[in-house]
Amino acid sequence: MASIIAPPPPALASPSRKPCSWSPIPGQRRLGLKGWRTNRRRDRPVFAASTMEVGSQELDFGEPDWKQKYQGDFERRFNISHLTDLFPDLSPMPSTFSLKSRRPVTDELLNGHPLDGQWNGYVNNNDRVLLKVINYSTPTSAGAECIDPACTWVEQWVHRAGPREKIFFKPEEVNAAIVTCGGLCPGLNDVIRQIVITFEMYGVKKIAGVPFGYRGFLKEVPEISLSRRVVQNIHLGGGSILGVARGGPSVKEIVDSMQERDINMLFILGGNGTHAGANAIHEECRRRWMRVAVVGVPKTIDNDILLMDKTFGFDTAVEEAQRAINSAYIEAHSAYHGIGVVKLMGRSSGFIAMHASLASGQVDICLIPEVPFNLHGPNGVLSHLKYLIETKRSAVVCVAEGAGQNLLQKTRARDANGNIILGDIGVHIQQETKKFFKEVGVPADVKYIDPTYMIRAVRANASDGILCTVLGQNAVHGAFAGFSGITVGICNTHFVYFPISEVISYPRQVDPNSRMWHRCLTSTGQPDFI
């Protein structure tokens, strides 16, 4: 099937989406100048005005219908793109995916499985999942995210993921491609494997792997043919069978390559930056009037994608981090005045450090990017370390890589994705700790552990393996249902489809007023370091 319809109608204007300056998303930190918010550092409300910008309109909380306007704007922003938006005359066909008839899909079955009775395993297009489940009664509640000063409850529903009874692609005409971008993450092979397996259950024969991220769209990089036989055991090891890379060709060059290769389904595994690229590819395909489904699968070990309960690789990272923390504890506990410093991943978000500290029960100080701290001074980290050495004889510090960057020398260096290359806060804390204890005349044995690349390269654990399996399956279901510009994720324990544009505006972060961070502080017993 040709991936572009000729002759094309006039270029489609992208739907105008003015970014929402605030929406009730757990952990959201970037708030607009207007509206109501909670001061996270002092846990007290701040009233900026009686109005708030939401999407493309400004809400006046004094108006009796502001709640309906808010809900309407939310529904508009979270409506997901469909092929029929471009091709209204496109007719659906019976799905070739059914678990009632467990036979390989053959040419005779491509018009749908001949079933003895109705299979009730399909998801209706009108099924929705509730985005928020806590009705906060007051803005002073821990972790409260409120729209207005009265903490009014507003229902917000998002699209449920799963197989549809009607599909918009004939399996024999599908030419699918899978690409993994960014860095390594436990579970990449699991997702790739499940996408391929689900495709074959639909009856798809042409599945290609694009090697080394977006760079694989360059002509000199040959694609990899994928089948169940190829991917059967790849989940037993870490890494990605397709390889990973940052950066790559322009969006125009990528879409040109898609047209040349006749790709009409593209699955992109990556984090915020990769998803931004996926959204740009989706918009360019729409502009060219291409009948293509672009689907993202959020891959970030940092767990920093908005709106989702968690992303794959996170549970494995927390589990593997226990080894490093336990080693640091043993080193510190075995030495005279021992201090173990462990640096974990987390550029903008401290979820791994927070959860790993909670899980281990051996961490005395947890430092994350969302909570500022001082090293020196009477309330600083070093002063508390001195107290721990005097009272416990040892201490363990867990720090996220993006924490305390204000304490380091600024750099303008950037990686291939345009991210600022961070300074090494772990080494800085190690050096400053040694210097501090030498100055105060107290002997201290400081050990530093950085397990970053050991954690990234391991095989996914059981929890992540299940998550990857379901994400891979639902990604294929979403593409066959005719959706594009979407990413699949887990929300309130249910699997859903989000518009990519709504999850890429900035990283999800730990809310310092959340119950989880409070639990971490209870576990470590650390004071405020400001």
Side-chain angles (χ1 to χ4, degrees), residues 282 405 517:
H282 160 71
Q405 291 299 305
W517 178 244

Side-chain angles (χ1 to χ4, degrees), residues 177-496:
I178 308 170
V179 59
T180 56
C181 304
L184 288 180
C185 177
L188 281 171
N189 281 334
D190 301 65
V191 176
I192 295 169
R193 176 179 182 270
Q194 203 57 224
I195 289 175
V196 173
I197 289 174
T198 309
F199 262 135
E200 292 200 351
M201 291 196 68
Y202 272 95
V204 175
K205 304 296 184 184
K206 293 179 287 186
I207 313 166
V210 179
F212 304 113
Y214 288 133
R215 296 180 185 276
F217 285 100
L218 299 173
K219 292 182 179 179
E220 61 269 20
V221 183
E223 62 185 30
I224 301 171
S225 180
L226 300 176
S227 66
R228 188 179 190 123
R229 182 184 298 273
V230 174
V231 304
Q232 184 63 43
N233 296 316
I234 62 174
H235 65 300
L236 301 179
S240 168
I241 188 178
L242 303 179
V244 293
R246 302 186 189 277
S250 67
V251 171
K252 178 182 179 302
E253 292 173 311
I254 292 173
V255 178
D256 287 344
S257 176
M258 291 174 61
Q259 287 185 267
E260 292 174 9
R261 305 184 192 194
D262 204 24
I263 294 172
N264 52 21
M265 282 191 188
L266 178 62
F267 296 84
I268 303 173
L269 284 60
N272 274 304
T274 300
H275 270 64
N279 194 57
I281 292 170
H282 160 71
E283 294 292 350
E284 178 65 14
C285 289
R286 284 168 56 91
R287 191 188 68 80
R288 299 190 190 190
W289 223 263
M290 294 169 60
R291 189 178 162 203
V292 176
V294 179
V295 179
V297 181
K299 176 232 69 173
T300 168
I301 207 167
D302 293 348
N303 198 36
D304 62 350
I305 300 289
L306 285 176
L307 306 172
M308 301 181 187
D309 293 355
K310 63 178 178 180
T311 52
F312 76 83
F314 174 70
D315 277 354
T316 305
V318 172
E319 183 176 311
E320 286 297 312
Q322 302 306 300
R323 303 176 190 273
I325 292 174
N326 189 53
S327 296
Y329 171 79
I330 292 173
E331 286 284 353
H333 193 68
S334 302
Y336 179 68
H337 289 179
I339 298 174
V341 180
V342 179
K343 185 185 75 172
L344 299 177
M345 288 158 289
R347 288 184 57 88
S348 304
S349 307
F351 288 103
I352 293 180
M354 176 177 69
H355 282 257
S357 297
L358 270 169
S360 72
Q362 298 170 320
V363 174
D364 300 290
I365 298 174
C366 179
L367 305 173
I368 60 176
E370 296 87 344
V371 180
F373 62 89
N374 293 320
L375 280 180
H376 300 277
N379 298 321
V381 172
L382 297 176
S383 177
H384 186 60
L385 277 176
K386 182 173 180 291
Y387 166 78
L388 292 172
I389 291 297
E390 291 171 348
T391 55
K392 291 182 57 181
R393 307 268 177 123
S394 65
V396 176
V397 180
C398 180
V399 57
E401 62 179 320
Q405 291 299 305
N406 60 305
L407 306 175
L408 306 175
Q409 185 175 356
K410 301 294 182 182
T411 175
R412 295 184 179 181
R414 295 179 180 269
D415 62 21
N417 274 4
N419 300 313
I420 295 176
I421 297 177
L422 301 177
D424 196 326
I425 185 63
V427 171
H428 181 72
I429 290 176
Q430 178 195 31
Q431 294 173 344
E432 290 298 308
T433 301
K434 288 181 176 180
K435 187 187 303 182
F436 170 80
F437 279 95
K438 184 177 181 180
E439 291 174 351
V440 297
V442 176
D445 189 350
V446 185
K447 297 293 195 304
Y448 173 53
I449 298 175
D450 180 359
T452 298
Y453 295 105
M454 296 176 64
I455 291 175
R456 297 195 330 171
V458 302
R459 172 189 174 184
N461 65 8
S463 174
D464 274 327
I466 295 171
L467 178 58
C468 292
T469 296
V470 183
L471 290 175
Q473 291 177 0
N474 281 319
V476 176
H477 295 323
F480 266 104
F483 299 125
S484 183
I486 63 168
T487 190
V488 58
I490 184 170
C491 176
N492 292 323
T493 72
H494 295 279
F495 289 87
V496 300

